[in-house]
Amino acid sequence: MATVKVTDLAHQDAQKMLSIINNQMPQLINQLNSTGQQMSDPNNWDGPLAQKFRGEVWPQAKADLEKMKNSLAQLQQSVQKILTNISHAGGA
C-alpha cells in the first residue's frame, strides 16, 4: 500500500497553478495574439523586416501560441485531478 502525503502547501500550490492557468495565461496569450496580428498589418508596419515577421516569424509564433493553449488545457485537467485527489486524501 502506497503512502499518501499531502501538505497544505501542496494544496495551495495546486490551487495557485490552476488559477494562473485559468485566469492569467489565457489573457496573456490573447494579448500576444492581438499584438502579433496588429504587427502583421502592413498598414501598421511595413518594410523588409515587417515582411519577414509577417511571412515567417508571426505564423510560427501564432502556431506555437495555439500549441501552448492546448498544452495549458491538458495541464488544467491534470491539476484539477490533483486537487480532487488531494481533497479525497484529506489535504483540504
Side-chain angles (χ1 to χ4, degrees), residues 13-30:
D13 284 345
Q15 286 180 316
K16 182 178 181 180
M17 183 177 283
L18 192 58
S19 177
I20 292 168
I21 293 167
N22 289 336
N23 301 317
Q24 295 175 23
M25 291 302 294
Q27 181 180 4
L28 292 172
I29 291 171
N30 288 339

Side-chain angles (χ1 to χ4, degrees), residues 31-50:
Q31 288 176 354
L32 286 168
N33 270 321
S34 176
T35 303
Q37 285 301 114
Q38 290 173 359
M39 289 178 66
S40 293
D41 184 342
N43 293 315
N44 294 326
W45 181 36
D46 206 3
L49 290 176

